[in-house]
Amino acid sequence: MSYQRIKWMILFLPTVTIGLWEYVRHQWLMPYLSMEAGNWLSPLIIYIVSITVLRGLFQMMEHTRAALDQERIAKGKLEERQQLAGELHDGVAQSLFLLGVRLDQARRRFDQPQVVQLLNDLSRTVSEANHDVRQAIADLKQAPRQEGAQTSSLEARIQAMVPLAGVKVDVDWQLEDDIFSPSEQAELLACLREALLNIHKHARARSARIVGTRNERGWQIAVEDDGSGYNRDDLEQPGRFGLRITAERAQQRGWTFDFERVDERTVFVLREGKHHG
């Protein structure tokens, strides 16, 4: 129902109600109802009809206004994200691209093995940074997820991220969405995203696996790969900000974050609470 129709109903409903009441009162109720009683009943009837009918209309208006507010907020957030994505593309991404071109030119001019190796390392680092920036740009161009809105399942969102690993990833997910709050789901997805990106950048793996299980100690999520992987010392390595941020995210949530090496596979593990032994 449109706002215009609701306004007209609000304007005419009391008038129509009192008109009908007075007609019925004078046509059929005068022998049975005194003038004073009729005068008392008139505002009561208008009140009852208004509460019954207009309450539903007001609720419709409130819902419509709330939906419009949410749409306006979402639109504003999307515009801000797209503006930021544009600034990243025009600034950082272009600079990284030009830096990569310059490194390629420098690599062709020098033939000393140490210099070439250094330039290769720099070029690889710039390429990885460029990949991360462009992934961030792609994420920013997507509409932000609204709290409490209907969303795809957590497993579906994890499945959508697996291409970040650059290898085949199997997902064995046995956890229900409702054991994580919306904010915990966001933190969890950020941690898994970092694990997949590390497989792509550093693991030199051929395959990987994401496993979400639950036991008497609580839930556990493992990201396994068959590559060289990473170890505990990687948390202290320069440039490994993602891993340190992941450890901090887990600590803030009261989760356990760890690396393990099991049967020649590197395992990135998140556990509920503190894990002992």
Side-chain angles (χ1 to χ4, degrees):
M1 185 179 296
S2 66
Y3 266 117
Q4 195 68 22
R5 293 180 63 183
I6 292 174
K7 290 177 181 177
W8 282 113
M9 288 190 68
I10 292 173
L11 287 173
F12 284 106
L13 184 63
T15 303
V16 172
T17 301
I18 195 64
L20 288 174
W21 161 246
E22 290 297 332
Y23 177 79
V24 171
R25 173 185 172 189
H26 286 86
Q27 284 293 110
W28 294 292
L29 299 180
M30 288 299 291
Y32 314 104
L33 193 65
S34 66
M35 184 65 68
E36 183 177 359
N39 292 338
W40 278 104
L41 282 174
S42 294
L44 180 61
I45 290 173
I46 293 175
Y47 175 76
I48 292 173
V49 172
S50 298
I51 287 294
T52 303
V53 178
L54 295 183
R55 183 180 179 184
L57 294 176
F58 288 145
Q59 287 178 342
M60 290 176 58
M61 291 180 67
E62 289 296 326
H63 291 159
T64 302
R65 186 177 68 178
L68 289 173
D69 288 342
Q70 288 293 331
E71 183 178 350
R72 185 165 55 250
I73 291 171
K75 183 179 179 181
K77 287 183 177 180
L78 180 57
E79 289 175 351
E80 290 177 359
R81 290 162 67 95
Q82 289 178 336
Q83 181 181 358
L84 179 57
E87 292 173 355
L88 281 173
H89 179 271
D90 296 338
V92 178
Q94 294 294 344
S95 298
L96 288 171
F97 173 77
L98 292 175
L99 181 57
V101 171
R102 294 294 187 186
L103 286 170
D104 288 339
Q105 293 173 347
R107 190 165 54 238
R108 289 193 292 269
R109 293 183 59 184
F110 296 95
D111 56 5
Q112 294 94 333
Q114 291 182 341
V115 175
V116 171
Q117 181 62 42
L118 175 61
L119 291 174
N120 285 338
D121 292 342
L122 288 173
S123 181
R124 185 167 55 252
T125 301
V126 170
S127 177
E128 292 174 354
N130 189 42
H131 176 272
D132 290 348
V133 169
R134 293 193 179 277
Q135 181 62 45
I137 291 172
D139 292 343
L140 285 169
K141 288 183 177 179
Q142 301 297 319
R145 200 174 299 277
Q146 297 297 314
E147 184 84 8
Q150 293 295 324
T151 63
S152 56
S153 69
L154 186 57
E155 181 178 1
R157 283 179 276 166
I158 292 171
Q159 290 279 8
M161 292 195 308
V162 297
L164 294 174
V167 297
K168 182 179 183 296
V169 180
D170 293 324
V171 179
D172 180 8
W173 194 257
Q174 303 172 27
L175 300 175
E176 301 83 7
D177 287 5
D178 56 10
I179 67 175
F180 303 103
S181 69
S183 60
E184 287 175 334
Q185 290 186 22
E187 295 285 356
L188 179 61
L189 290 171
C191 292
L192 292 178
R193 181 178 184 276
E194 181 60 32
L196 293 171
L197 286 173
N198 271 279
I199 292 173
H200 176 76
K201 294 178 183 178
H202 309 294
R204 296 187 291 278
R206 294 175 304 232
S207 65
R209 187 172 178 232
I210 299 175
V211 183
T213 56
R214 198 172 187 179
N215 54 37
E216 65 277 2
R217 293 177 175 174
W219 56 262
Q220 174 178 298
I221 299 167
V223 182
E224 308 173 6
D225 70 78
D226 60 0
S228 59
Y230 25 70
N231 52 60
R232 296 174 186 273
D233 294 336
D234 285 336
L235 287 172
E236 307 302 326
Q237 293 296 321
R240 289 302 184 88
F241 301 111
L243 290 177
R244 288 199 289 273
I245 290 173
T246 299
E248 291 170 2
R249 287 178 186 272
Q251 184 179 21
Q252 289 171 0
R253 288 288 176 179
W255 302 339
T256 297
F257 168 67
D258 205 355
F259 295 129
E260 296 177 351
R261 192 74 179 171
V262 181
D263 298 331
E264 301 302 319
R265 295 179 68 86
T266 301
V267 186
F268 169 111
V269 184
L270 280 173
R271 295 188 181 94
E272 180 179 8
K274 299 300 179 183
H275 183 72
H276 302 284

